[in-house]
Amino acid sequence: MPLGMKVNDYPSLFLLLNGFFFSAHDFSGKTIIPLVTHGGYGLGDSLSVLARRTPQARLADAFSMPAPQERQTITLVMDWIGKIPR
């Protein structure tokens, strides 16, 4: 998202987890859809951290997968995005 944009401009957000971003914006009434790729360690405490930093947001079910290969990741992520209710 360009730095000049505001979270308020979007009803739903796909976010890479970044603590600074969460503390710099108001997520009231927003839906956050976590997408987490990792090297095999899973979600860890990512979702609890996200919930603490954005208590006023609705957290959708997270997509999480190890990402050893870019092509596999893109295919699985696109399939997952296609299943999100609009």
Side-chain angles (χ1 to χ4, degrees):
M1 167 181 337
L3 293 176
M5 301 302 291
K6 300 284 186 201
V7 171
N8 294 349
D9 297 337
Y10 303 93
S12 297
L13 303 164
F14 289 91
L15 296 175
L16 298 174
L17 295 177
N18 177 317
F20 171 77
F21 185 81
F22 300 130
S23 61
H25 295 278
D26 177 8
F27 288 90
S28 296
K30 301 300 176 191
T31 298
I32 297 175
I33 306 166
L35 184 154
V36 181
T37 59
H38 54 81
Y41 50 83
L43 287 168
D45 65 350
S46 298
L47 298 182
S48 62
V49 169
L50 186 57
R52 277 195 316 273
R53 300 238 178 164
T54 60
Q56 65 282 50
R58 178 184 161 278
L59 293 181
D61 291 338
F63 176 86
S64 173
M65 67 168 281
Q69 296 179 354
E70 184 178 319
R71 185 171 306 282
Q72 176 189 16
T73 301
I74 290 170
T75 299
L76 290 172
V77 167
M78 293 306 291
D79 289 347
W80 172 73
I81 287 173
K83 295 175 186 172
I84 295 173
R86 299 195 188 330

